[in-house]
């Protein structure tokens, strides 16, 4: 107590004498860089609630209007029931209509590259006729399987990629079989249409024969381009939800990957009990997660996104080469996608929907959507430890699957 009174006495004396204590800062209130001075209150960040944020970016402005419409802070009277029952598509259409009436938005649109303009012109269309579809509610299952599948393989492919589909049918995507044991799984291939003028031949009849023989083709009447891969996600979610497929998990991936199916099935069975216990199955997504990525600004890249179309970083997302999520999450993504404007990069778009669901993908190091790092592929048993790797040829896929099955049998 004596020391405390002594210390206080010194401070009082120094102030009376007009002397500034050596430990007193010039500004007693700490202000972080990039803040606005607001005397009497805590500092305000310069970007807090800015109306002009990303004002030059076409997609950001379109989505900003939709996000504000569904913001519970801006619209506190909008109940959760109201959110579920709202006509999401009408809000998206209205935001597009209002935005394109603005002079600055029209100028921005005309400054975009031609292929981006073409994408924008078709952004609002979400409904396309189904040309071919499987007979079953969850695609093609094993002959004796009657229960809902544990896992549905939903594989993005193109009409010309017959060899890729055959390799998958004969290997990791073979429905109802793994390592000599029964397992409950199903398979469906997701396609649009090739431009017959570009091909110089119409192969639709060949695809119909393939569909009739295998029963695992789901094709819509839209042009199968890179930017339309997002449509495959959106239309698949709707098909999955409308047919009430009860698959517990969905694997969505490309047709040039190898999947270690025995290991993946074992992993999912292990996860299922924990997810159900924690009631977190509705949020489950796992893959190779890319965090805080920036749009590709290289105009020669197929991933090129100009800053006038999208500004800012991407949300965390799982690489589209191969990702697993729950059937419950697929149904939630179906609803959320109706209030998120389409985006040209499919896996980024899924991340945008996930962020608005307040759900986040889980990173798993055994999902190698960018192939093995360094020389790790040459190490013994490298393929035994992984769940997925991208890219592989049809011949490699079949050979790797045989290896995976043998290893699985001898390591059980």
């Amino acid at each position: 107590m004596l020391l405390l009174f002594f210390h206080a006495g010194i401070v009082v004396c120094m102030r009376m004498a007009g002397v500034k204590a050596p430990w007193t800062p010039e500004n007693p209130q700490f202000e972080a860089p990039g803040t606005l001075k607001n005397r009497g209150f805590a500092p305000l960040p310069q970007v807090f609630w800015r109306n002009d944020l990303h004002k030059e970016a076409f997609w950001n402005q379109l989505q900003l209007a939709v996000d504000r419409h569904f913001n519970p802070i801006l619209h506190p009277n909008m109940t959760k029931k109201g959110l579920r029952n709202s006509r999401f598509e009408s809000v998206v259409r209205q935001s597009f209509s209002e935005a394109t009436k603005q002079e600055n938005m029209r100028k921005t649109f005309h400054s975009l590259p031609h292929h981006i303009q073409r994408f924008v012109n078709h952004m609002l269309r979400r409904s396309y006729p189904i040309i071919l579809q499987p007979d079953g509610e969850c695609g093609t299952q094993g002959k004796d399987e009657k229960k809902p599948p544990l896992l549905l393989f939903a594989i993005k492919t193109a009409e010309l990629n017959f060899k890729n589909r055959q390799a998958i049918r004969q290997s990791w995507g073979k429905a109802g079989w793994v390592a000599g044991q029964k397992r409950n799984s199903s398979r469906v291939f997701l396609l649009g249409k090739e431009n017959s003028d570009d091909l110089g031949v119409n192969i639709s009849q060949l695809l119909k024969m393939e569909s009739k023989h295998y029963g695992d083709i789901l094709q819509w009447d839209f042009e199968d381009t890179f930017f339309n891969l997002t449509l495959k996600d959106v239309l698949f979610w709707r098909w999955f939800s409308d047919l009430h497929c009860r698959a517990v998990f969905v694997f969505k991936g490309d047709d040039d990957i190898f999947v270690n199916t025995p290991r993946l099935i074992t992993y999912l069975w292990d996860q299922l009990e924990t997810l159900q216990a924690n009631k977190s199955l509705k949020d489950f997504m796992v893959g190779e997660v890319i965090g805080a990525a920036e749009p590709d600004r290289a105009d020669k890249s197929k991933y090129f996104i100009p800053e006038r179309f999208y500004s800012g970083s991407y949300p965390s997302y799982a690489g589209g080469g191969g990702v697993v999520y729950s059937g419950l999450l697929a149904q939630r993504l179906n609803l959320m996608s109706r209030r998120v404007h389409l985006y040209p990069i499919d896996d980024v778009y899924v991340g945008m929907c996930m962020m608005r669901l307040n759900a986040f993908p889980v990173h798993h190091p055994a999902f190698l959507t960018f192939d093995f790092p360094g020389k790790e592929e040459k190490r013994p048993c490298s393929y035994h430890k992984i769940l997925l790797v991208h890219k592989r040829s049809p011949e490699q896929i079949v050979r790797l699957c045989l290896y995976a099955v043998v290893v699985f049998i001898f390591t059980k």
Side-chain angles (χ1 to χ4, degrees), residues 110 125 136 143 242 245 276 306 320 323 343 362 383 404 410 412:
H110 290 295
R125 186 169 179 186
K143 293 181 180 180
D242 289 349
C245 177
Q276 289 176 333
V323 61
Y343 192 77
V362 176
Y383 283 93
F410 285 97
K412 284 188 65 177

Side-chain angles (χ1 to χ4, degrees), residues 79-341:
T79 63
K80 289 186 177 180
K81 183 178 180 181
L83 282 173
R84 286 196 300 267
N85 295 334
S86 293
R87 298 180 61 185
F88 300 146
E89 289 91 344
S90 65
V91 176
V92 170
R93 288 182 179 276
Q94 183 180 353
S95 72
F96 190 92
S97 176
E98 291 176 356
T100 51
K101 289 178 182 177
Q102 301 173 20
E103 181 65 24
N104 65 317
M105 289 288 278
R106 288 200 295 268
K107 289 182 178 178
T108 299
F109 171 77
H110 290 295
S111 70
L112 296 172
H114 177 71
H115 66 291
I116 301 288
Q117 290 186 27
R118 186 181 178 189
F119 174 82
V120 171
N121 285 332
H122 296 88
M123 277 180 68
L124 289 180
R125 186 169 179 186
R126 305 287 189 99
S127 180
Y128 291 86
I130 292 178
I131 302 173
L132 300 170
Q133 64 177 326
D135 296 330
E137 290 183 349
C138 291
T140 298
Q141 290 185 249
K143 293 181 180 180
D144 300 325
E145 297 289 359
K146 296 181 180 179
K147 295 180 180 180
L150 172 72
L151 178 62
L152 167 62
F153 291 107
I155 305 141
K156 292 182 177 180
T157 184
E159 286 183 314
L160 292 177
N161 293 5
F162 175 75
K163 287 185 68 176
N164 298 62
R165 293 191 292 276
Q166 279 299 88
I168 292 170
R169 289 180 181 123
Q170 295 169 8
S171 58
W172 58 262
K174 191 171 184 179
W177 176 89
V178 65
Q181 301 176 5
K182 286 289 182 181
R183 66 167 166 84
N184 205 357
S185 69
S186 58
R187 177 188 68 238
V188 62
F189 290 102
L190 313 177
L191 298 89
K193 285 187 66 177
E194 299 283 353
N195 189 324
S196 58
D197 293 335
D198 293 340
L199 291 177
V201 62
N202 189 337
I203 62 172
S204 60
Q205 291 302 318
L206 292 175
L207 194 66
K208 285 181 181 179
M209 294 171 60
E210 182 183 347
S211 176
K212 185 176 180 180
H213 183 75
Y214 294 104
D216 57 3
I217 300 293
L218 178 55
Q219 183 187 33
W220 294 273
D221 191 10
F222 66 83
E223 189 175 356
D224 211 337
T225 63
F226 177 70
F227 277 5
N228 278 344
L229 288 176
T230 303
L231 269 178
K232 288 187 181 180
D233 280 300
V234 171
L235 295 174
F236 166 72
W237 293 334
R238 182 168 297 186
W239 174 84
F240 181 89
S241 301
D242 289 349
L243 289 182
H244 307 292
C245 177
R246 304 299 181 189
V248 182
F249 296 104
V250 173
F251 173 90
K252 190 266 293 182
D254 295 339
D255 66 358
D256 57 353
I257 59 175
F258 163 70
V259 178
N260 193 332
T261 305
R263 297 292 173 190
L264 181 60
I265 293 291
T266 302
Y267 168 76
L268 293 177
W269 274 120
D270 292 342
Q271 291 294 307
L272 184 57
E273 185 176 351
T274 302
L275 293 168
Q276 289 176 333
N278 296 336
K279 298 182 179 180
S280 56
L281 188 61
K282 64 182 178 64
D283 296 324
F284 179 74
M285 176 180 286
V286 63
E288 182 170 11
V289 177
I290 297 97
E294 296 290 330
D296 192 336
R297 305 301 188 191
D299 57 4
K300 300 298 182 182
S301 169
K302 72 174 183 177
Y303 299 99
F304 168 58
I305 299 292
E307 196 162 4
R308 283 185 168 269
F309 182 74
Y310 179 86
S311 178
S313 300
Y314 286 148
S316 295
Y317 64 93
V323 61
V324 177
Y325 46 81
S326 70
L328 292 176
L329 181 57
Q331 295 178 32
R332 297 179 66 210
L333 287 167
N334 173 48
L335 292 177
M336 181 53 69
S337 68
R338 300 182 188 187
R339 45 186 272 202
V340 181
H341 279 285

Side-chain angles (χ1 to χ4, degrees), residues 25-46:
E26 290 292 332
N27 182 3
Q29 178 177 300
F30 171 75
E31 292 185 7
T35 61
L36 297 174
K37 293 182 179 180
N38 189 15
R39 299 187 184 281
F41 299 93
L44 296 176
Q46 291 180 351

Side-chain angles (χ1 to χ4, degrees), residues 378-405:
K378 297 181 180 180
R379 295 178 180 176
C381 298
S382 57
Y383 283 93
H384 167 57
K385 299 176 182 178
I386 67 168
L387 294 176
L388 172 152
V389 66
H390 185 226
K391 296 180 172 182
R392 294 297 181 269
S393 69
E395 293 77 11
Q396 289 174 318
I397 288 172
V398 174
R399 187 167 61 251
L400 288 170
C401 187
L402 292 173
Y403 165 78
V405 169

